[in-house]
Structure formats: structure tokens, C-alpha cells
């Protein structure tokens, strides 16, 4: 009997990915429920779902996602179902994110299930930085359109709205504006052409006109005068504003004048931040008018705004009317001595100041002396003082030391990038060693300090158990001086850990008095007698 040989043909092998098995679907529900009931950044902001509610939500999400993916597979079959699986996963993730942002609808207290209050914050700033057009805006802003929502704060920062997206947002915002108290529209038109950006601003402004806000942030939008006026309807309608932020907005003299015209009487304003603009002297005059209309102002920031002496004088005079001021930040301007004198007169009438930032104002010694004398008499609870980069020498250091001697609440002092040298450092060190028990941070970097000054500063903080950070980098401290500082800190109530980096310290550097010191070291002389001599002959100016 003949047997016919046949070549065996392999069967075609394929994997069918859709639909998933019931076990797979149940496993997905379980994983989503665990994710929904596990503490995350979302739960800290919006609240944590209980396990029962998380399981209910997970089942609903899976059903919706499965239905969408199954419909896709039926309409566009691709053989193995891989595209349906991708849609299934994508839809599940999207719905989970929505549930997390809405927060819990139930809470459990002593075993009793209660209805949880709805969240009051709507924030889309945490997503990827990208353009938003109409379709995505409808999806993102859907919770705002839900009936009965209780949102009082919205944050659209870090997203760039086009005209289409703005037109989607406008009716929604108009419908909830009576409930809104805080609106953050910072950095919400990035990358748009000027014409489109201005149109978007006008749409939002009109939609929110008449709202009674306490907080408004329009920062990082390159407003200029056109942008400020595009927000005119919104700005003019605000009567209860307590906080206004216009930082990094390209606000020139003309734009500052527009702010002055459009922002109404601000009798309730407590916070005004106007950082990093190109305001200049004439613009400062306009901003000063806003300040004058804000008698309850507690926190004023007008740093990096190119204000010179003339504008500084006018602004200082306006600040004198803000007797409730607690925090003042006018760093990085060009005040000079005349504006510093005017500022000192204003500071003398502001007893509530707790934080004062006066770095890089070209104060020099005379301006520093005037300001220190004023603060000594007027700010009993001063906690933070920054006066870096003002060409302060030992002459100004005497007045600064006298100020410090009266400030037991001081927690942070920054006098970096000045010309204190050893004499100034020792003056300040002597005062800090005797008082200022709450001091936690001290920055004396870039002051041409050598071993003697470093010794005095280390001695000053060694007895302060709560001290956190000492910065003496970018000075001329010898290796022996560094070792000495470390030994003092180790022997004191804090550890060497409080000492900041020393990577830019120059042990070989020379200051005016340094050459003689180094020459003495070459002949085997000790530096300690020099230290003792300086400590004996330097006194704090109490006048």
C-alpha cells in the first residue's frame, strides 16, 4: 500500500484583542477603583473618594469606555481590534481624570454616608502646556457648565486660548460669574498673534464683566497698553478687589497709565504685585496713584520695573499713605540716594512692616543709613530684611547694626554683594551674637570678607539652635578661616550643615586690607590678634 507524502501546511495564527474577556474587564474595574481611592495630588486638592464610591465610579467608567470602544470596532473593524483597545484605554484614563478632578460626592463620618460638598476650585493649569481650541475647550470646561456647580475660583493658567476656545468659554463664564470670587488668567494666551490675543482678552473681559472678584491675576500675558485696555470692561467693574497681580506684563508708561485709569477706587485692595515690567519713572507716577487709592494695602511688590530717582520719590510718597503695609518689595530699581531718603520718610510711618526687600536700589551708604534709622524706629516686628547689592561699606554697616540690635523678631537677613569687608562683618556679627534669637538665615556672600569677618559671623550664629542657613560664599576666606568657621559651628548649638556652599570662595583673593594680612601670615604671625583688634575698635552707631 502506497502512502502519499503530504507537506504539512502551518495554520495561520492570529490574536484577537477585541472584545476583552469578562475577567479582563473586571480586573480593569478593580485597578481603577484602587487608583481612585488612593491618595494622590488630585485627592489633596479635590478630596479622596471612599472605596465604595470609587468602585461605583470605576464600574461606570469601564462601561462607558467599553461601549465607546465597541462601537468604534463595529464601525471600523481592523482585524485584531488593536485600535479599539487603544480607545478603551484612552477613554478610561480620560474619564478617571474627570472623576478625580470632581472629587468625592460622598463622605463617611462614623459609618454614616453623607453627601460631600462640591469642590469650589476649577483648575486646568496642571495639564500640559498647549494651545486650546474650541473642541478641547468644550471638553475641559464641561464641569463649569454643569447645573448646580459651586465653583468660586477658576484657574486657566498655563493653557493658551484661541478665539474659538474663548467663544466656548464666554457663555459658561457669564453663567457662573456671580459666584466667582477668584479668577486666574495668567499666561493664558502664550504664543498667539497679537490680534488674536487681544480678541481673546476682550471676550474673557466681557464675559466676566460685573463679577465681584476678590482676586484677579492677569500676569505673564505681555499685555502692554493694548492688553490692559482689552481687559477694561472687567477691570472697571471690580469694586471688591482685594488682590491684583500684573506681573511680567510688559507694562510701559502708557500701560501703567491705563491701569490707573481702569482700576477703580481700590479701597479694599490688600495685595498689589507689579513685578518685572518696564514702567519707568512716568509709569511709577501712575502706579503711585493706584497706591494712594489703596489705604488698606498690606503687600506691595514693584520690583524690577526700571524706576529711577524721580519715580522712586513719587512712589515713596504714595507708600506713606499705606499705614497697614506689612510686606514691601521694590528690589532691582534705580532709586539712588534721593529716592532712598524719601523712602525712609515713608518707612518711618509704617509700623506694621514684617518683610522689607530693598536689594539693588543703588542706596549706597547715605541711603542705607537713612532707611535703617527709619526702620529702627518704625517696624518692631520686622522678620525679613534684604538689602543686598547696594554698595554698603562699613559706614552703612554701623547704621545697619544699630537697626538689627532692636529687631528680636528677625528671621532672615540678606546683605550680600556689598562692600562690608571684615570691619562691617564684625560689626554685624557682634550685634547678632548678642540678640536676634529667632534668626534662621543669614547671607553675607560677596562682601570681600576674610578670616576675621568669617570668625565673627560664625560666632554670631553658633548659639542659635534654630538657625538654618549661613551663606558666606564668594569671599576671600583662607582655608584656615574656613576650618575655623566649621569648628565654631560644630561646637555651637547648630551643626556644620547650616553652612552653605563655598565653591566660589577665593582663599587667595585680596581685599584692600588683605595684602598686609597675607604678608603677616608668611612670617608666621597669627591672624587672631588682628581679629581682636578689630573687635575692640569697631562700635555700632546708635545715633
Amino acid at each position: 500500500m502506497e502512502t502519499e507524502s503530504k507537506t504539512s501546511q502551518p495554520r495561520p495564527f492570529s490574536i484577537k484583542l477585541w472584545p476583552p474577556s469578562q475577567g479582563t474587564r473586571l480586573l480593569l474595574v478593580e485597578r481603577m477603583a484602587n487608583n481612585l481611592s488612593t491618595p494622590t495630588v488630585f485627592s489633596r486638592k479635590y478630596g479622596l473618594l471612599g472605596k465604595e464610591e470609587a468602585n461605583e465610579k470605576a464600574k461606570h467608567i469601564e462601561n462607558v469606555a467599553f461601549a465607546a470602544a465597541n462601537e468604534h470596532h463595529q464601525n471600523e473593524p481592523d482585524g485584531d481590534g488593536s485600535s479599539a483597545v487603544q480607545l478603551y484605554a484612552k477613554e478610561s484614563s480620560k474619564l478617571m481624570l474627570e472623576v478625580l478632578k470632581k472629587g468625592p460626592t460622598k463622605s463617611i463620618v462614623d459609618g454614616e454616608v453623607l453627601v460631600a460638598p462640591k469642590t469650589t476650585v476649577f483648575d486646568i493649569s496642571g495639564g500640559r502646556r498647549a494651545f486650546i481650541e474650541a473642541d478641547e475647550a468644550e471638553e475641559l470646561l464641561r464641569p463649569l457648565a454643569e447645573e448646580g456647580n459651586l465653583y468660586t475660583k477658576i484657574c486657566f493658567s498655563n493653557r493658551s486660548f484661541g478665539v474659538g476656545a474663548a467663544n466656548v468659554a464666554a457663555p459658561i463664564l457669564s453663567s457662573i460669574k456671580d459666584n466667582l470670587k477668584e479668577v486666574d488668567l495668567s499666561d493664558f494666551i502664550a504664543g498667539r498673534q497679537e490680534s488674536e490675543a487681544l480678541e481673546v482678552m476682550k471676550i474673557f473681559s466681557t464675559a466676566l464683566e460685573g463679577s465681584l472678584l476678590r482676586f484677579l491675576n492677569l500676569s505673564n500675558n505681555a499685555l502692554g497698553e493694548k492688553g490692559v485696555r482689552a481687559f477694561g470692561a472687567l477691570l472697571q467693574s471690580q469694586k471688591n478687589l482685594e488682590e491684583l497681580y500684573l506681573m511680567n506684563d510688559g507694562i510701559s508708561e502708557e500701560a501703567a497709565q491705563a491701569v490707573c485709569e481702569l482700576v477703580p477706587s481700590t479701597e479694599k485692595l490688600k495685595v498689589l504685585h507689579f513685578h518685572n515690567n518696564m514702567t519707568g519713572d512716568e509709569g511709577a507716577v501712575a502706579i503711585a496713584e493706584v497706591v494712594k487709592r489703596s489705604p488698606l494695602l498690606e503687600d506691595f511688590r514693584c520690583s524690577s520695573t526700571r524706576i529711577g530717582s524721580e519715580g522712586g520719590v513719587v512712589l515713596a510718597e504714595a507708600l506713606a499713605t499705606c499705614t497697614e503695609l506689612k510686606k514691601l518689595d521694590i528690589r532691582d530699581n534705580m532709586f539712588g540716594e534721593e529716592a532712598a531718603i524719601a523712602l525712609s520718610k515713608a518707612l518711618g510711618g509704617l509700623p506694621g512692616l514684617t518683610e522689607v526687600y530693598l536689594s539693588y536700589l543703588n542706596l549706597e551708604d547715605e541711603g542705607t543709613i537713612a532707611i535703617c534709622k527709619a526702620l529702627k524706629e518704625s517696624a518692631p516686628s520686622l522678620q525679613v530684611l534684604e538689602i543686598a547689592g547696594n554698595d554698603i561699606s562699613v559706614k552703612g554697616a554701623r547704621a545697619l547694626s544699630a537697626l538689627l540690635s532692636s529687631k528680636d523678631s528677625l528671621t532672615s537677613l540678606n546683605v550680600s554683594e556689598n562692600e562690608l569687608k571684615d570691619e562691617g562683618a564684625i560689626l554685624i556679627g557682634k550685634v547678632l551674637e548678642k540678640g536676634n534669637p529667632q534668626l534662621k538665615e543669614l547671607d553675607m556672600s560677596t562682601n570681600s570678607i576674610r578670616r576675621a569677618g568669617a570668625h565673627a559671623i560664625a560666632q554670631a550664629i553658633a548659639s542659635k539652635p534654630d538657625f538654618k542657613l549661613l551663606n558666606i560664599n564668594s569671599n576671600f576666606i583662607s582655608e584656615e578661616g574656613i576650618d575655623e568657621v566649621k569648628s565654631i559651628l560644630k561646637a555651637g548649638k547648630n551643626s556644620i550643615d547650616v553652612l552653605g556652599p563655598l565653591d566660589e570662595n577665593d582663599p587667595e583673593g585680596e581685599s584692600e586690607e588683605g595684602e598686609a594680612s597675607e604678608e603677616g601670615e608668611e612670617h608666621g604671625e597669627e591672624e587672631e590678634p588682628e581679629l581682636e583688634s578689630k573687635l575692640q575698635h569697631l562700635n555700632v552707631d546708635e545715633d
Side-chain angles (χ1 to χ4, degrees), residues 209 229 401 452 504:
E209 181 181 4
R229 295 196 182 280
S401 299
E504 296 183 9

Side-chain angles (χ1 to χ4, degrees), residues 103-123:
T105 57
K106 299 176 182 178
S107 60
I108 299 178
V109 179
D110 296 331
E112 182 181 358
V113 178
L114 304 174
V115 176
K118 292 186 178 181
T119 181
T120 60
V121 179
F122 182 79
D123 186 352

Side-chain angles (χ1 to χ4, degrees), residues 281-299:
D281 283 342
E282 294 300 322
V285 174
I287 297 304
E289 286 300 313
V290 179
V291 172
K292 287 180 182 178
R293 300 199 299 258
S294 309
L296 298 182
L297 199 62
E298 297 179 359
D299 180 349

Side-chain angles (χ1 to χ4, degrees), residues 15 21 52 69 93 110 115 121 201 246 249-250 342 364 381 478 480:
I15 299 176
S21 68
E52 182 180 348
S93 297
D110 296 331
V115 176
V121 179
M201 293 180 205
L246 295 168
D249 273 330
E364 299 186 339
S381 301
S478 66
E480 292 81 1

Side-chain angles (χ1 to χ4, degrees), residues 3-179:
T3 308
E4 186 178 357
S5 174
K6 295 183 179 179
T7 304
S8 174
Q9 296 292 331
R11 285 186 170 184
F13 180 74
S14 64
I15 299 176
K16 190 177 181 181
L17 300 175
W18 191 264
S21 68
Q22 187 63 26
T24 299
R25 294 181 63 183
L26 291 174
L27 181 61
L28 179 62
V29 170
E30 181 181 349
R31 287 179 177 174
M32 287 194 296
N34 286 335
N35 288 335
L36 290 171
S37 59
T38 299
T40 64
V41 291
F42 290 102
S43 64
R44 287 196 293 272
K45 180 179 277 190
Y46 303 110
L48 182 64
L49 274 68
K51 291 189 179 299
E52 182 180 348
E53 184 178 4
N55 192 54
E56 293 175 3
K57 296 290 186 183
K59 288 178 181 178
H60 176 71
I61 290 171
E62 194 280 331
N63 283 330
V64 173
F66 178 83
N70 200 46
E71 181 179 358
H72 169 81
H73 183 64
Q74 290 173 359
N75 293 334
E76 301 177 30
D78 57 356
D80 64 356
S82 58
S83 63
V85 171
Q86 290 176 1
L87 180 61
Y88 183 50
K90 182 179 179 180
E91 194 70 13
S92 296
S93 297
K94 183 188 74 173
L95 293 172
M96 276 188 64
L97 186 60
E98 290 181 3
V99 168
L100 287 168
K101 285 189 172 183
K102 287 181 180 178
T105 57
K106 299 176 182 178
S107 60
I108 299 178
V109 179
D110 296 331
E112 182 181 358
V113 178
L114 304 174
V115 176
K118 292 186 178 181
T119 181
T120 60
V121 179
F122 182 79
D123 186 352
I124 60 173
S125 64
R128 61 186 177 88
R129 184 182 176 88
F131 281 15
I132 294 179
E133 305 304 337
D135 291 345
E136 187 178 359
E138 288 181 5
E139 186 66 31
L140 275 175
L141 306 184
R142 186 179 298 164
L144 285 177
E146 292 178 353
E147 186 176 351
N149 78 74
L150 299 176
Y151 292 113
T152 60
K153 177 180 179 179
I154 58 172
C155 178
F156 288 177
S157 182
N158 197 42
R159 301 296 185 95
S160 180
F161 281 75
V163 170
N167 283 326
V168 170
I172 298 175
L173 294 178
S174 293
S175 69
I176 64 170
K177 67 181 180 182
D178 290 341
N179 292 331

Side-chain angles (χ1 to χ4, degrees), residues 466-484:
D466 296 326
F467 194 84
K468 303 297 182 185
L469 178 62
L470 171 64
N471 186 0
I472 51 173
N473 206 0
S474 301
N475 283 302
F476 303 141
I477 308 169
S478 66
E479 293 180 3
E480 292 81 1
I482 295 297
D483 290 339
E484 190 174 73

